[in-house]
Amino acid sequence: MNVTTELHDFIFNGHLNYVPHLSIDCAVFGFHDNQLKILLLRSKYLDGWALPGGHIQRNEHIDIAAQRILKERTGLDKIFLKQYQTFGDPDRLKTQSSQYFLNAVQIPIPPNNWLMERIVSIGYYALVEFSKATPTPDLFTEECVWWDIHQLPALIFDHDHMINLALLTLQSQLHYQPIGYNLLPDKFTMPELQKLYETILDKPLDRRNFQKKIMGLGILEKLEERKSVGPHKSPYYYRFNEKNYQEALTAGLSFGF
């Protein structure tokens, strides 16, 4: 296997630039064709797929590191990003060890290499508008693509556990913070917004009850424009009131389903 100079430098000198024993992994959610999607990367060196992730520069705030990693993978900045869990099981990488990765690159690695040590991962989840993201692989991966949350491929390490917890956290957020500003286009219909909530919660919601609750939050603005979907179905478009939406994110809300 051809080992690039960049990869060789990362393996042998990465500890000079990055914090050892600590990494970031991001569950990036998007919504497309009424499906909740998650962004995954196919590994060059391990048999499976992984969440976008990376290491933290020595003088870098962890939130800034997560934003940097996601911009590199999606081309987007100003992403809704939230830390949700730290993954510190000492056996979390043993299913496919760092040694397996280092052997796969086919260069001699000393046993005290910084990548051989235990790695604790800080988990973030992110919400992005599907159509605006440009999935881009990194140094260790062949491709970066969206997957339906219900049809995931084989994942490396403990990334299946990471995704499950990220999804549970996202579902929990629906009860105390609004969702949608980062997942839907600038304008959308009420059925489209309801479908987003139903897809995340994985259950149907009563149409009238949903509309009453969501309008009661004061975060939507009804537009004069309608979406033409048939002779008798022309729902109005809505958009989020960004100021009220951000206030609801900060203050929290009671919005049980």
Side-chain angles (χ1 to χ4, degrees), residues 22-26 52-56 62-63 65-66 69 120-124:
L22 193 62
S23 67
I24 288 174
D25 287 291
C26 301
H55 291 270
I56 303 161
I62 57 174
D63 290 345
I69 290 166
V120 174
S121 181
I122 302 170
Y124 284 81

Side-chain angles (χ1 to χ4, degrees), residues 184-189 192 223 225-226 237-240:
L184 291 171
D186 294 335
K187 62 180 182 180
F188 50 86
T189 66
E192 289 169 341
L223 306 180
E225 184 182 357
R226 291 175 180 262
Y237 278 113
Y238 290 81
R239 67 184 175 199
F240 287 107

Side-chain angles (χ1 to χ4, degrees), residues 60-123:
E60 188 176 36
H61 191 288
I62 57 174
D63 290 345
I64 300 300
Q67 293 168 14
R68 170 180 55 80
I69 290 166
L70 288 186
K71 185 172 183 178
E72 291 169 355
R73 301 286 70 77
T74 67
L76 300 175
D77 51 16
K78 298 181 180 179
I79 293 175
F80 178 90
L81 188 65
K82 195 165 188 176
Q83 189 180 143
Y84 72 96
Q85 181 78 14
T86 298
F87 298 87
D89 188 332
D91 296 329
R92 59 179 296 267
L93 304 186
K94 285 190 175 179
T95 53
Q96 287 181 306
S97 69
S98 296
Q99 180 64 62
Y100 185 93
F101 156 70
L102 294 173
N103 289 341
V105 300
Q106 298 181 5
I107 56 177
I109 308 293
N112 62 343
N113 182 272
W114 71 292
L115 293 175
M116 295 291 292
E117 300 292 334
R118 172 185 176 184
I119 296 179
V120 174
S121 181
I122 302 170

Side-chain angles (χ1 to χ4, degrees), residues 168-181:
L168 287 173
T169 305
L170 179 59
Q171 291 171 339
S172 175
Q173 184 188 337
L174 287 178
H175 298 283
Y176 64 90
Q177 286 185 318
I179 289 287
Y181 181 76

Side-chain angles (χ1 to χ4, degrees), residues 7-254:
L7 178 58
H8 187 278
D9 185 62
F10 177 80
I11 292 172
F12 287 99
N13 300 312
H15 64 287
L16 301 177
N17 300 316
Y18 298 100
V19 179
H21 319 306
L22 193 62
S23 67
I24 288 174
D25 287 291
C26 301
V28 184
F29 293 106
F31 186 65
H32 181 65
D33 286 343
N34 292 328
Q35 295 177 337
L36 186 64
K37 306 279 190 174
I38 190 163
L39 196 63
L40 297 176
L41 298 100
R42 184 166 63 87
S43 174
K44 290 180 182 178
Y45 306 106
L46 297 171
D47 186 18
W49 293 73
L51 292 170
H55 291 270
I56 303 161
Q57 295 173 4
R58 284 188 173 270
N59 295 316
E60 188 176 36
H61 191 288
I62 57 174
D63 290 345
I64 300 300
Q67 293 168 14
R68 170 180 55 80
I69 290 166
L70 288 186
K71 185 172 183 178
E72 291 169 355
R73 301 286 70 77
T74 67
L76 300 175
D77 51 16
K78 298 181 180 179
I79 293 175
F80 178 90
L81 188 65
K82 195 165 188 176
Q83 189 180 143
Y84 72 96
Q85 181 78 14
T86 298
F87 298 87
D89 188 332
D91 296 329
R92 59 179 296 267
L93 304 186
K94 285 190 175 179
T95 53
Q96 287 181 306
S97 69
S98 296
Q99 180 64 62
Y100 185 93
F101 156 70
L102 294 173
N103 289 341
V105 300
Q106 298 181 5
I107 56 177
I109 308 293
N112 62 343
N113 182 272
W114 71 292
L115 293 175
M116 295 291 292
E117 300 292 334
R118 172 185 176 184
I119 296 179
V120 174
S121 181
I122 302 170
Y124 284 81
Y125 74 92
L127 308 177
V128 305
E129 186 179 336
F130 180 93
S131 63
K132 293 183 178 179
T134 304
T136 305
D138 60 19
L139 183 63
F140 309 102
T141 56
E142 297 282 2
E143 57 181 331
C144 181
V145 298
W146 292 100
W147 285 80
D148 184 337
I149 195 69
H150 296 298
Q151 298 178 345
L152 298 180
L155 296 156
I156 65 171
F157 303 141
D158 57 349
H159 288 204
D160 55 345
H161 178 52
M162 289 180 169
I163 291 173
N164 289 336
L165 279 182
L167 182 57
L168 287 173
T169 305
L170 179 59
Q171 291 171 339
S172 175
Q173 184 188 337
L174 287 178
H175 298 283
Y176 64 90
Q177 286 185 318
I179 289 287
Y181 181 76
N182 309 88
L183 291 169
L184 291 171
D186 294 335
K187 62 180 182 180
F188 50 86
T189 66
M190 189 65 68
E192 289 169 341
L193 180 60
Q194 180 172 337
K195 185 62 180 177
L196 170 64
Y197 275 66
E198 290 177 334
T199 302
I200 293 173
L201 293 169
D202 200 21
K203 68 177 184 180
L205 300 172
D206 179 77
R207 180 181 63 82
R208 291 184 179 180
N209 189 41
F210 175 82
Q211 184 165 343
K212 179 181 178 181
K213 286 186 174 182
I214 200 74
M215 292 303 297
L217 299 178
I219 61 174
L220 294 183
E221 297 175 354
K222 186 177 181 179
L223 306 180
E224 294 298 325
E225 184 182 357
R226 291 175 180 262
K227 181 177 182 178
S228 179
V229 294
H232 305 294
K233 294 182 180 180
S234 298
Y236 282 100
Y237 278 113
Y238 290 81
R239 67 184 175 199
F240 287 107
N241 181 303
E242 185 174 357
K243 179 177 179 294
N244 292 351
Y245 189 96
Q246 294 302 325
E247 288 177 353
L249 281 177
T250 302
L253 47 85
S254 178

